[in-house]
Amino acid sequence: MNLLDFKIFEGISEESKQAILDINPRIYHYGARRISVRNGEILKYVLLIKRGCLKTTEYMIDGKEIVSSYYNEGDAFPFYLHYGKYTHFPYDVYAVKRSEVYFVPFKELKPIIDKDPVLMNNILTFVAEYTCFNKFVLRSTQYHKISQRIAYWLLHIDEIDSLKLPKTQEMLSDILQVNRSCLNTELKLMESQGLIQVKGIKIKVLRPDLLEDLI
């Protein structure tokens, strides 16, 4: 995967393609659980994930970790911070597993975006999709019981782009802000009751009516 293989560059003009190829991004390799960006670092780059997975992590006053988002291979972020006039990263960014990341200077990318309406539309679409996903996660975590959070998640899962869905149960437990062991226990209980069918991270809803009753 090179820069032009990323989804945000689909359909852009030949002039834009050449301008992007002329950019000389920094390329970093990270081991699992290694930090790639620290809270407070100056916001100068757009991060494009060539391989692996990154997560943004914030902390509450009591030190409790909150996972804001996961970004997988092919994703690019944080455009919303750049256009939101942020000057520094408001969170830590970690590699979930071995990852390779392009750091593309936003000051070089922005003039290309400004001239190409297709590229701007791609970025707006990307940001909008993640905004909707994050709103969905917030609605899920407003429920107090683990069973309710799972039920809401499963009942609305078809509304989410499959590329943004968690790839492991650990990621799902982070997103729903529940203990992984408790999540697994609840999933097994729901499966034993005939509500769902679980195969790894793939969960098939069998009785949506009973899931509705939970919430």
Side-chain angles (χ1 to χ4, degrees), residues 33 50 72 92 102 106 110-111 123 157 160 174 187 197:
R33 303 187 185 281
K50 179 179 181 181
N72 296 293
D92 291 329
Y102 289 110
F106 184 67
K110 188 176 184 301
I123 291 171
I157 203 75
I160 304 302
D174 280 347
L187 288 174
Q197 183 181 68

Side-chain angles (χ1 to χ4, degrees), residues 56-60 64-69 174 177:
T56 60
T57 305
E58 299 179 67
Y59 298 90
M60 299 178 68
K64 181 179 179 181
E65 178 182 311
I66 301 176
V67 177
S68 299
S69 296
D174 280 347
Q177 297 180 31

Side-chain angles (χ1 to χ4, degrees), residues 182-194:
C182 294
L183 173 71
N184 190 48
T185 299
E186 195 64 47
L187 288 174
K188 287 182 178 179
L189 177 60
M190 288 182 171
E191 187 170 34
S192 69
Q193 294 172 334

Side-chain angles (χ1 to χ4, degrees), residues 2-13 16 20 46-49 74-77 79 104 109 113 116-127 129-130:
N2 60 39
L3 279 179
L4 292 180
D5 291 328
F6 284 83
K7 187 177 180 180
I8 60 169
F9 299 129
E10 287 183 354
I12 64 175
S13 69
S16 295
I20 288 167
V46 173
L47 280 59
L48 284 77
I49 304 171
D75 279 342
F77 79 102
F79 285 108
V104 180
L109 186 58
I113 297 171
D116 192 322
V118 173
L119 180 52
M120 176 62 80
N121 180 74
N122 290 349
I123 291 171
L124 285 173
T125 300
F126 178 83
V127 172
E129 288 175 347
Y130 262 104

Side-chain angles (χ1 to χ4, degrees), residues 53-56 65-72 130 133-142 149-150 153 157 160 163-180 183 201:
C53 177
L54 301 181
K55 72 173 181 178
T56 60
E65 178 182 311
I66 301 176
V67 177
S68 299
S69 296
Y70 280 94
Y71 294 91
N72 296 293
Y130 262 104
F133 176 75
N134 289 333
K135 290 290 185 182
F136 169 57
V137 170
L138 285 173
R139 288 194 294 271
S140 299
T141 55
Q142 285 178 351
R149 295 185 184 189
I150 296 172
W153 175 271
I157 203 75
I160 304 302
L163 295 177
K164 295 173 179 57
L165 297 178
K167 303 298 187 290
T168 65
Q169 284 195 11
E170 181 179 3
M171 292 172 66
L172 179 58
S173 65
D174 280 347
I175 289 172
L176 295 182
Q177 297 180 31
V178 299
N179 179 276
R180 183 181 177 185
L183 173 71
I201 192 59

